[in-house]
């Protein structure tokens, strides 16, 4: 049995053909292929202005910088997220304020967010964990009541919906990632979706080092080669090569979605019968599943991970809570997040995974619990702690 990885990109001839065309055009950097990708993403979402960038992290950083997050500001984000969601806050000198998540679906906890808002709070970064949408109605209410920006970290949620509307097609500012393992990939890439033309223009300018086209045109009416830098900018634009990969992936997005739903349904159907496994509340009618995360209760998680690895199944931890990371460490405790984290495991889920392979993973899990519970029927607790 070959090792089963937790995630894997699905790229092939369709992507290669489009990349070949970019090579033939000799325009590798940002150009008309990027523009086409932006328009296709806009069409997919049905609403919003899309700005393509070179990663999901750049998208979040650019969004926060463009709305004016600076040193001394506070930004509320869940601790249970990829460290990228937090690094973009500290990169601007702002302070991450960690919030709890709901135990059933790992979405940000609205009550905890509300309790952490004060006059320094400038933005909230809700994370649509595994593609499961956060409570956007409540977040938009908070935005309106306190005049705080909502920057959605939708790195997991390309194609997911909230109350029938695609994530990114409504709201304030939404950031997607198209890194190798996300719902669709550009190789590396990301996008910001906004609904305000002025903000879109500012972000476009900041994406390429703050170079001002209007200023440029003013200067270059009679002279060649001049340009004007009119604001702080970054080198965050997407390349035609990456956009070409993304365009091919967009054509496959419906089949990716169907496949992921099938696989998650199969996991759910089988794992719900195992006493020590607790499923997330997937809301599958609206969720485009990103990763398969499930809870392993009663202290079995780490032992199960070892058992899986022995059987050539890789599993993961999404994520080590950021308030426990040495760089972000504060004296804050998040009891719920810490308790949830101890139970989380990420099992293999990707587009080219087969139902048979999922079945193999489940059989490995069953064999772990069968041997445990048989041997441990007398002193179960000691058995576990002695492994
Ligand atoms: C992947 C990811 C990011 C960052 O996206 P990159 O494209 O890898 O920079 C941010 N937040 C979350 C939750 C992610 O999973």
């Amino acid at each position: 049995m070959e090792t089963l990885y937790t995630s894997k990109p699905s790229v092939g001839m369709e992507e290669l053909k489009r990349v070949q065309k970019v090579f033939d055009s000799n325009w590798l950097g940002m150009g008309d292929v990027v523009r086409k990708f932006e328009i296709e993403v806009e069409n997919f979402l049905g609403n919003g202005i899309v700005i393509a960038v070179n990663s999901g992290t750049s998208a979040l950083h650019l969004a926060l910088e463009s709305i004016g997050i600076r040193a001394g500001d506070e930004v509320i984000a869940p601790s249970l997220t990829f460290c990228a969601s937090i690094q973009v806050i500290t990169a601007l000198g702002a302070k991450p304020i960690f919030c709890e998540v709901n135990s059933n679906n790992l979405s940000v906890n609205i009550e905890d967010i509300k309790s952490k808002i004060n006059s320094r709070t400038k933005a909230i970064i809700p994370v649509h964990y595994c593609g499961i949408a956060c409570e956007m109605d409540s977040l938009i209410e908070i935005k309106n009541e306190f005049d705080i920006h909502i920057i959605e970290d939708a790195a997991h949620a390309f194609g997911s919906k909230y109350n029938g509307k695609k994530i990114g097609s409504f709201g304030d500012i939404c950031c997607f990632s198209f890194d190798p393992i996300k719902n669709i990939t550009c190789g590396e890439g990301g996008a910001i979706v906004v609904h305000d033309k002025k903000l879109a223009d500012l972000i476009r300018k900041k994406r390429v080092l703050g170079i001002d086209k209007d200023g440029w045109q003013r200067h270059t009416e009679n002279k060649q080669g001049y340009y004007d830098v009119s604001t702080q900018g970054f080198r965050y634009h997407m390349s035609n090569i990456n956009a070409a990969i993304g365009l091919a992936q967009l054509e496959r997005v419906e089949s990716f979605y169907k496949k992921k739903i099938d696989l998650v349904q199969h996991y759910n159907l089988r794992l719900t019968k195992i006493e020590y496994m607790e499923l997330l509340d997937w809301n599958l009618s609206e969720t485009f599943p990103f990763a398969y995360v499930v809870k392993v209760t009663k202290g079995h998680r780490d032992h199960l991970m070892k058992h899986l690895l022995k059987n050539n199944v890789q599993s993961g931890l999404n994520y080590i809570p950021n308030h426990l990371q040495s760089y972000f460490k504060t004296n804050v405790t998040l009891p719920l997040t810490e308790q949830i984290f101890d139970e989380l495991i990420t099992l293999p889920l990707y587009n080219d995974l087969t139902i048979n392979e999922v079945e193999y993973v489940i059989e490995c899990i069953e064999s772990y619990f069968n041997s445990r519970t048989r041997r441990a029927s007398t002193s179960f607790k000691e058995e576990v702690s002695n492994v």
Side-chain angles (χ1 to χ4, degrees):
M1 180 86 193
E2 255 182 73
T3 300
L4 286 178
Y5 295 98
T6 50
S7 56
K8 210 156 80 172
S10 175
V11 285
M13 278 319 292
E14 290 96 329
E15 287 76 14
L16 267 180
K17 270 189 231 153
R18 285 182 183 261
V19 169
Q20 179 69 53
K21 271 206 217 156
V22 174
F23 281 16
D24 295 343
S25 77
N26 278 323
W27 195 283
L28 308 186
M30 184 162 71
D32 58 354
V33 188
V34 174
R35 186 65 204 126
K36 183 157 196 299
F37 178 68
E38 289 175 338
I39 292 166
E40 290 301 324
V41 173
E42 283 172 5
N43 292 340
F44 176 80
L45 299 176
N47 191 29
I49 307 168
V50 171
I51 301 142
V53 291
N54 58 6
S55 77
T57 308
S58 324
L60 289 164
H61 185 220
L62 205 46
L64 289 176
E65 208 275 345
S66 297
I67 58 161
I69 301 299
R70 297 292 180 267
D73 293 341
E74 292 185 359
V75 178
I76 300 175
S79 176
L80 195 76
T81 179
F82 188 45
C83 57
S85 324
I86 311 303
Q87 285 282 21
V88 294
I89 303 171
T90 52
L92 291 162
K95 189 177 177 196
I97 303 295
F98 296 112
C99 71
E100 294 274 26
V101 290
N102 300 326
S103 165
N104 66 331
N105 60 9
L106 312 182
S107 284
V108 286
N109 185 292
I110 300 294
E111 287 318 304
D112 195 46
I113 287 179
K114 281 186 180 162
S115 77
K116 285 168 179 169
I117 292 174
N118 63 50
S119 59
R120 292 180 298 278
T121 312
K122 295 289 154 56
I124 300 168
I125 305 184
V127 178
H128 303 300
Y129 188 98
C130 281
I132 304 166
C134 296
E135 293 158 65
M136 288 304 294
D137 282 349
S138 307
L139 288 163
I140 290 165
E141 259 174 46
I142 290 175
K143 167 186 155 57
N144 295 334
E145 185 179 343
F146 298 96
D147 196 22
I148 295 170
H149 277 286
I150 307 292
I151 315 282
E152 289 164 72
D153 182 338
H156 297 183
F158 189 75
S160 278
K161 290 179 182 166
Y162 174 79
N163 286 347
K165 291 175 289 186
K166 282 216 176 92
I167 294 292
S169 70
F170 66 100
D172 189 6
I173 303 179
C174 180
C175 297
F176 290 113
S177 161
F178 306 121
D179 81 15
I181 61 160
K182 296 295 162 52
N183 289 356
I184 64 162
T185 185
C186 289
E188 294 285 359
I192 304 170
V193 193
V194 296
H195 304 273
D196 177 281
K197 172 113 190 2
K198 263 176 89 175
L199 181 60
D201 289 344
L202 180 67
I203 293 174
R204 281 224 165 81
K205 206 190 297 182
K206 285 176 174 289
R207 168 177 68 170
V208 272
L209 296 166
I211 291 173
D212 190 328
K213 274 269 175 72
D214 294 339
W216 185 17
Q217 275 152 7
R218 249 196 332 271
H219 283 296
T220 52
E221 264 167 32
N222 297 310
K223 301 175 214 160
Q224 276 198 330
Y226 279 77
Y227 56 86
D228 186 39
V229 177
S230 64
T231 180
Q232 173 65 54
F234 306 88
R235 204 177 184 288
Y236 279 173
H237 54 276
M238 181 179 274
S239 78
N240 273 357
I241 298 174
N242 295 107
I245 298 170
L247 281 167
Q249 293 265 302
L250 272 174
E251 287 186 352
R252 304 170 62 198
V253 67
E254 194 57 33
S255 72
F256 289 167
Y257 167 74
K258 288 198 177 116
K259 184 63 186 291
K260 286 269 195 81
I261 290 281
D262 269 1
L263 296 171
V264 168
Q265 276 174 335
H266 193 76
Y267 268 125
N268 285 350
L269 192 75
R270 298 278 276 107
L271 293 181
T272 191
K273 294 179 188 137
I274 300 178
E275 191 186 338
Y276 302 100
M277 305 295 282
E278 207 177 285
L279 308 186
L280 297 189
D281 208 337
W282 277 95
N283 188 20
L284 275 188
S285 62
E286 300 214 287
T287 302
F288 188 139
F290 160 63
Y292 192 79
V293 173
V294 59
K295 290 184 197 166
V296 190
T297 60
K298 305 257 176 6
H300 281 287
R301 197 265 315 271
D302 292 347
H303 305 294
L304 177 60
M305 283 180 85
K306 264 191 216 154
H307 177 84
L308 288 173
L309 197 60
K310 262 193 233 151
N311 290 282
N312 291 324
V313 176
Q314 197 191 47
S315 57
L317 300 174
N318 295 86
Y319 296 91
I320 315 281
N322 284 289
H323 73 285
L324 304 176
Q325 298 286 3
S326 50
Y327 185 58
F328 304 128
K329 221 168 188 148
T330 61
N331 50 13
V332 172
T333 57
L334 294 165
L336 188 57
T337 295
E338 287 165 34
Q339 184 208 323
I340 290 169
F341 168 69
D342 285 340
E343 298 185 340
L344 293 184
I345 187 173
T346 305
L347 301 175
L349 184 74
Y350 47 89
N351 299 314
D352 296 335
L353 189 72
T354 66
I355 292 279
N356 279 342
E357 286 167 331
V358 169
E359 193 52 34
Y360 174 76
V361 175
I362 292 160
E363 281 162 15
C364 289
I365 294 172
E366 284 174 340
S367 79
Y368 168 84
F369 283 111
N370 285 340
S371 66
R372 283 296 127 167
T373 41
R374 221 175 24 247
R375 273 189 291 155
S377 53
T378 47
S379 60
F380 178 70
K381 266 233 162 93
E382 289 87 310
E383 172 75 22
V384 169
S385 58
N386 285 338
V387 176

PDB file of all heavy atoms in Angstrom, residues 55-57 60 81-82 84-85 127 153 155-156 177 179 182 189 319, ligand 1:
ATOM      1  N   SER A  55      -0.817  34.816  -3.407  1.00  0.00           N
ATOM      2  CA  SER A  55      -1.120  33.818  -2.373  1.00  0.00           C
ATOM      3  C   SER A  55      -2.307  34.262  -1.534  1.00  0.00           C
ATOM      4  O   SER A  55      -2.704  35.439  -1.572  1.00  0.00           O
ATOM      5  CB  SER A  55       0.090  33.567  -1.455  1.00  0.00           C
ATOM      6  OG  SER A  55       0.245  34.620  -0.529  1.00  0.00           O
ATOM      7  N   GLY A  56      -2.849  33.330  -0.770  1.00  0.00           N
ATOM      8  CA  GLY A  56      -3.930  33.677   0.150  1.00  0.00           C
ATOM      9  C   GLY A  56      -3.421  34.590   1.254  1.00  0.00           C
ATOM     10  O   GLY A  56      -4.127  35.476   1.729  1.00  0.00           O
ATOM     11  N   THR A  57      -2.177  34.371   1.662  1.00  0.00           N
ATOM     12  CA  THR A  57      -1.574  35.216   2.697  1.00  0.00           C
ATOM     13  C   THR A  57      -1.441  36.653   2.192  1.00  0.00           C
ATOM     14  O   THR A  57      -1.776  37.599   2.913  1.00  0.00           O
ATOM     15  CB  THR A  57      -0.184  34.655   3.095  1.00  0.00           C
ATOM     16  OG1 THR A  57      -0.325  33.273   3.423  1.00  0.00           O
ATOM     17  CG2 THR A  57       0.391  35.398   4.276  1.00  0.00           C
ATOM     18  N   LEU A  60      -4.833  38.389   2.304  1.00  0.00           N
ATOM     19  CA  LEU A  60      -5.215  38.851   3.643  1.00  0.00           C
ATOM     20  C   LEU A  60      -4.391  40.077   4.059  1.00  0.00           C
ATOM     21  O   LEU A  60      -4.927  41.052   4.590  1.00  0.00           O
ATOM     22  CB  LEU A  60      -5.013  37.726   4.665  1.00  0.00           C
ATOM     23  CG  LEU A  60      -6.000  36.553   4.583  1.00  0.00           C
ATOM     24  CD1 LEU A  60      -5.471  35.347   5.361  1.00  0.00           C
ATOM     25  CD2 LEU A  60      -7.376  36.964   5.126  1.00  0.00           C
ATOM     26  N   THR A  81      -6.722  28.295  13.515  1.00  0.00           N
ATOM     27  CA  THR A  81      -6.635  28.568  12.078  1.00  0.00           C
ATOM     28  C   THR A  81      -5.183  28.426  11.666  1.00  0.00           C
ATOM     29  O   THR A  81      -4.286  28.325  12.508  1.00  0.00           O
ATOM     30  CB  THR A  81      -7.146  29.984  11.754  1.00  0.00           C
ATOM     31  OG1 THR A  81      -7.024  30.209  10.332  1.00  0.00           O
ATOM     32  CG2 THR A  81      -6.345  31.063  12.474  1.00  0.00           C
ATOM     33  N   PHE A  82      -4.942  28.438  10.359  1.00  0.00           N
ATOM     34  CA  PHE A  82      -3.568  28.404   9.868  1.00  0.00           C
ATOM     35  C   PHE A  82      -2.866  29.689  10.309  1.00  0.00           C
ATOM     36  O   PHE A  82      -3.480  30.753  10.350  1.00  0.00           O
ATOM     37  CB  PHE A  82      -3.590  28.287   8.337  1.00  0.00           C
ATOM     38  CG  PHE A  82      -2.229  28.061   7.729  1.00  0.00           C
ATOM     39  CD1 PHE A  82      -1.347  27.141   8.276  1.00  0.00           C
ATOM     40  CD2 PHE A  82      -1.846  28.761   6.599  1.00  0.00           C
ATOM     41  CE1 PHE A  82      -0.098  26.934   7.705  1.00  0.00           C
ATOM     42  CE2 PHE A  82      -0.601  28.554   6.024  1.00  0.00           C
ATOM     43  CZ  PHE A  82       0.277  27.641   6.579  1.00  0.00           C
ATOM     44  N   ALA A  84      -1.108  31.711   8.932  1.00  0.00           N
ATOM     45  CA  ALA A  84      -1.154  32.819   7.967  1.00  0.00           C
ATOM     46  C   ALA A  84      -2.197  33.858   8.362  1.00  0.00           C
ATOM     47  O   ALA A  84      -1.974  35.062   8.211  1.00  0.00           O
ATOM     48  CB  ALA A  84      -1.467  32.286   6.568  1.00  0.00           C
ATOM     49  N   SER A  85      -3.344  33.394   8.902  1.00  0.00           N
ATOM     50  CA  SER A  85      -4.415  34.322   9.292  1.00  0.00           C
ATOM     51  C   SER A  85      -3.929  35.296  10.370  1.00  0.00           C
ATOM     52  O   SER A  85      -4.473  36.381  10.516  1.00  0.00           O
ATOM     53  CB  SER A  85      -5.630  33.591   9.866  1.00  0.00           C
ATOM     54  OG  SER A  85      -5.868  32.371   9.226  1.00  0.00           O
ATOM     55  N   VAL A 127     -12.869  32.688   9.922  1.00  0.00           N
ATOM     56  CA  VAL A 127     -12.309  31.648   9.035  1.00  0.00           C
ATOM     57  C   VAL A 127     -13.411  30.630   8.745  1.00  0.00           C
ATOM     58  O   VAL A 127     -14.004  30.075   9.670  1.00  0.00           O
ATOM     59  CB  VAL A 127     -11.107  30.956   9.712  1.00  0.00           C
ATOM     60  CG1 VAL A 127     -10.558  29.840   8.828  1.00  0.00           C
ATOM     61  CG2 VAL A 127     -10.014  31.973  10.036  1.00  0.00           C
ATOM     62  N   ASP A 153     -11.470  35.078   5.938  1.00  0.00           N
ATOM     63  CA  ASP A 153     -10.443  34.147   5.486  1.00  0.00           C
ATOM     64  C   ASP A 153     -11.193  32.959   4.884  1.00  0.00           C
ATOM     65  O   ASP A 153     -11.619  32.044   5.589  1.00  0.00           O
ATOM     66  CB  ASP A 153      -9.548  33.716   6.648  1.00  0.00           C
ATOM     67  CG  ASP A 153      -8.436  32.772   6.198  1.00  0.00           C
ATOM     68  OD1 ASP A 153      -8.601  32.145   5.127  1.00  0.00           O
ATOM     69  OD2 ASP A 153      -7.433  32.635   6.913  1.00  0.00           O
ATOM     70  N   ALA A 155      -9.964  30.903   2.674  1.00  0.00           N
ATOM     71  CA  ALA A 155      -8.951  30.027   2.054  1.00  0.00           C
ATOM     72  C   ALA A 155      -9.491  28.612   1.838  1.00  0.00           C
ATOM     73  O   ALA A 155      -9.129  27.940   0.881  1.00  0.00           O
ATOM     74  CB  ALA A 155      -7.689  29.983   2.916  1.00  0.00           C
ATOM     75  N   HIS A 156     -10.401  28.175   2.736  1.00  0.00           N
ATOM     76  CA  HIS A 156     -10.963  26.819   2.623  1.00  0.00           C
ATOM     77  C   HIS A 156     -12.278  26.791   1.855  1.00  0.00           C
ATOM     78  O   HIS A 156     -12.844  25.720   1.668  1.00  0.00           O
ATOM     79  CB  HIS A 156     -11.295  26.260   4.023  1.00  0.00           C
ATOM     80  CG  HIS A 156     -10.118  26.085   4.920  1.00  0.00           C
ATOM     81  ND1 HIS A 156     -10.227  25.540   6.177  1.00  0.00           N
ATOM     82  CD2 HIS A 156      -8.807  26.364   4.736  1.00  0.00           C
ATOM     83  CE1 HIS A 156      -9.025  25.509   6.747  1.00  0.00           C
ATOM     84  NE2 HIS A 156      -8.164  26.002   5.904  1.00  0.00           N
ATOM     85  N   SER A 177      -7.608  31.464  -1.143  1.00  0.00           N
ATOM     86  CA  SER A 177      -6.274  30.938  -1.430  1.00  0.00           C
ATOM     87  C   SER A 177      -6.403  29.908  -2.541  1.00  0.00           C
ATOM     88  O   SER A 177      -7.352  29.120  -2.567  1.00  0.00           O
ATOM     89  CB  SER A 177      -5.689  30.257  -0.194  1.00  0.00           C
ATOM     90  OG  SER A 177      -4.622  29.389  -0.570  1.00  0.00           O
ATOM     91  N   ASP A 179      -3.585  27.895  -3.191  1.00  0.00           N
ATOM     92  CA  ASP A 179      -2.312  27.181  -3.036  1.00  0.00           C
ATOM     93  C   ASP A 179      -2.517  25.709  -3.436  1.00  0.00           C
ATOM     94  O   ASP A 179      -3.641  25.307  -3.750  1.00  0.00           O
ATOM     95  CB  ASP A 179      -1.719  27.420  -1.629  1.00  0.00           C
ATOM     96  CG  ASP A 179      -2.313  26.548  -0.526  1.00  0.00           C
ATOM     97  OD1 ASP A 179      -2.989  25.552  -0.816  1.00  0.00           O
ATOM     98  OD2 ASP A 179      -2.083  26.869   0.658  1.00  0.00           O
ATOM     99  N   LYS A 182      -5.695  23.698  -1.931  1.00  0.00           N
ATOM    100  CA  LYS A 182      -7.007  24.300  -1.693  1.00  0.00           C
ATOM    101  C   LYS A 182      -8.051  23.793  -2.709  1.00  0.00           C
ATOM    102  O   LYS A 182      -7.703  23.050  -3.624  1.00  0.00           O
ATOM    103  CB  LYS A 182      -6.880  25.824  -1.702  1.00  0.00           C
ATOM    104  CG  LYS A 182      -5.992  26.346  -0.547  1.00  0.00           C
ATOM    105  CD  LYS A 182      -6.584  26.075   0.807  1.00  0.00           C
ATOM    106  CE  LYS A 182      -5.655  26.139   2.009  1.00  0.00           C
ATOM    107  NZ  LYS A 182      -4.839  27.299   2.202  1.00  0.00           N
ATOM    108  N   GLY A 189      -1.440  30.951  -5.360  1.00  0.00           N
ATOM    109  CA  GLY A 189      -2.267  32.095  -5.751  1.00  0.00           C
ATOM    110  C   GLY A 189      -3.306  32.420  -4.710  1.00  0.00           C
ATOM    111  O   GLY A 189      -3.488  31.688  -3.728  1.00  0.00           O
ATOM    112  N   TYR A 319      -5.840  23.052  13.473  1.00  0.00           N
ATOM    113  CA  TYR A 319      -4.453  23.514  13.453  1.00  0.00           C
ATOM    114  C   TYR A 319      -3.946  23.575  14.888  1.00  0.00           C
ATOM    115  O   TYR A 319      -4.755  23.602  15.814  1.00  0.00           O
ATOM    116  CB  TYR A 319      -4.404  24.928  12.858  1.00  0.00           C
ATOM    117  CG  TYR A 319      -4.838  24.966  11.410  1.00  0.00           C
ATOM    118  CD1 TYR A 319      -6.162  25.197  11.077  1.00  0.00           C
ATOM    119  CD2 TYR A 319      -3.906  24.761  10.395  1.00  0.00           C
ATOM    120  CE1 TYR A 319      -6.556  25.219   9.751  1.00  0.00           C
ATOM    121  CE2 TYR A 319      -4.299  24.797   9.064  1.00  0.00           C
ATOM    122  CZ  TYR A 319      -5.624  25.012   8.751  1.00  0.00           C
ATOM    123  OH  TYR A 319      -6.020  25.024   7.454  1.00  0.00           O
TER     124      TYR A 319
HETATM  125  C1  LIG B   1      -4.025  28.215   3.084  1.00  0.00           C
HETATM  126  C2  LIG B   1      -4.517  29.149   4.097  1.00  0.00           C
HETATM  127  C3  LIG B   1      -4.145  30.507   4.119  1.00  0.00           C
HETATM  128  C4  LIG B   1      -3.057  31.089   3.274  1.00  0.00           C
HETATM  129  O1  LIG B   1      -3.132  30.849   1.933  1.00  0.00           O
HETATM  130  P1  LIG B   1      -1.791  30.661   1.077  1.00  0.00           P
HETATM  131  O2  LIG B   1      -2.278  30.734  -0.330  1.00  0.00           O
HETATM  132  O3  LIG B   1      -1.209  29.341   1.435  1.00  0.00           O
HETATM  133  O4  LIG B   1      -0.888  31.805   1.414  1.00  0.00           O
HETATM  134  C5  LIG B   1      -4.768  31.338   5.030  1.00  0.00           C
HETATM  135  N1  LIG B   1      -5.687  30.878   5.886  1.00  0.00           N
HETATM  136  C6  LIG B   1      -6.044  29.585   5.917  1.00  0.00           C
HETATM  137  C7  LIG B   1      -7.104  29.159   6.883  1.00  0.00           C
HETATM  138  C8  LIG B   1      -5.465  28.678   5.040  1.00  0.00           C
HETATM  139  O5  LIG B   1      -5.797  27.382   5.096  1.00  0.00           O
END
